[in-house]
Amino acid sequence: MIVHDNRPGHLPDGRMRERLNRGTRGKGEAAMMSSPLRARHAMAWVAVMCVAVLAAACGSIPAAPGAGSTATAAGAGSTATATVPAAQPGTSSAGTPAPAAQPGPCGTAALRVTLGSREGAAAGHFYRTVDFTNISSASCTLYGYPGVSFVAAIGGNQIGAAASRSPASKRLVVLAPGKKAHALLDLLDVLNFPPSECAASDAHWIKVYPPNQFSASYVAWTAKVCTKPKPVYMSVAPVRQGA
């Protein structure tokens, strides 16, 4: 026998489950419909905030200026200006002074060539200095050996061998206007050579090329010299500071 419970508000088991299932499905569908809506609202809010941040950042960054120029970038109702000073002549980018340029070589016309007052003699050698005085209005430099030989006259032919170079270190000499440098000459006593090899005779001029120059000066000096190409009886040292 089947018994039905017909009390008010009470449904049979089958219809009760069906109603409960319909209620659950309704809530799930509502939740599924509300989730995409909330996501769309959140994405729209994030997009609005990003646009606002980018606009503020772009308005506050000035354009990159070049050296010695002024750059201006327009922001939201404001102007940002940056000025970079140009580097001054004679200074490096770090603000330190650039090194001074080295003076150029002393030309022959900038020098007065004379015989120095220093003389000496020892064991068949005679010593004399050749002095170089800077007569120009600017500093200049001397470096290395001068060329020295005896000649018959100003512009005349060379007599005997030119001076060889004595072994010594070379130094850069900076000559201020009016200052002097010198080179030491070492002459052998030519009378110690056989006459047939030397053919000694008197000479009255020396021809002097300043270091690294191609025009010469002439200085009066009477000395006994060998007139033949050999032997080499004279040597010269590199220039040094002072007289």
Side-chain angles (χ1 to χ4, degrees):
M1 180 178 61
I2 299 173
V3 178
H4 296 281
D5 188 355
N6 295 323
R7 288 176 294 175
H10 182 76
L11 296 175
D13 291 341
R15 285 186 292 174
M16 179 62 70
R17 284 193 298 272
E18 183 180 354
R19 181 173 295 180
L20 290 173
N21 290 337
R22 284 200 301 270
T24 303
R25 285 196 301 271
K27 291 179 181 179
E29 290 172 356
M32 291 176 63
M33 291 176 64
S34 61
S35 295
L37 182 60
R38 286 196 298 270
R40 284 196 296 273
H41 285 309
M43 292 175 63
W45 182 83
V46 169
V48 170
M49 292 300 295
C50 289
V51 170
V53 170
L54 288 175
C58 291
S60 62
I61 300 176
S69 63
T70 301
T72 303
S78 63
T79 300
T81 303
T83 301
V84 179
Q88 297 298 319
T91 61
S92 66
S93 58
T96 56
Q102 188 74 255
C106 297
T108 303
L111 298 169
R112 181 172 63 246
V113 182
T114 57
L115 288 175
S117 58
R118 293 168 56 187
E119 295 184 72
H125 290 258
F126 299 98
Y127 301 98
R128 191 80 182 262
T129 60
V130 176
D131 292 348
F132 302 91
T133 304
N134 183 359
I135 59 174
S136 73
S137 59
S139 295
C140 58
T141 58
L142 293 172
Y143 181 76
Y145 295 86
V148 181
S149 61
F150 279 94
V151 291
I154 295 176
N157 294 329
Q158 178 176 311
I159 301 174
S164 63
R165 295 180 173 184
S166 60
S169 61
K170 295 186 287 186
R171 303 172 189 171
L172 183 67
V173 176
V174 178
L175 275 187
K179 298 301 182 179
K180 290 184 177 184
H182 72 274
L184 181 65
L185 288 174
D186 178 1
L187 285 78
L188 297 175
D189 184 354
V190 297
L191 297 179
N192 291 330
F193 294 104
S196 59
E197 295 180 8
C198 175
S201 179
D202 289 336
H204 304 285
W205 294 91
I206 59 170
K207 184 178 183 179
V208 180
Y209 289 93
N212 307 304
Q213 298 300 307
F214 298 96
S215 58
S217 293
Y218 294 85
V219 182
W221 185 16
T222 299
K224 189 74 74 175
V225 300
C226 288
T227 59
K228 292 192 174 184
K230 292 184 179 180
V232 178
Y233 60 90
M234 179 172 55
S235 63
V236 64
V239 291
R240 292 288 186 262
Q241 194 82 47

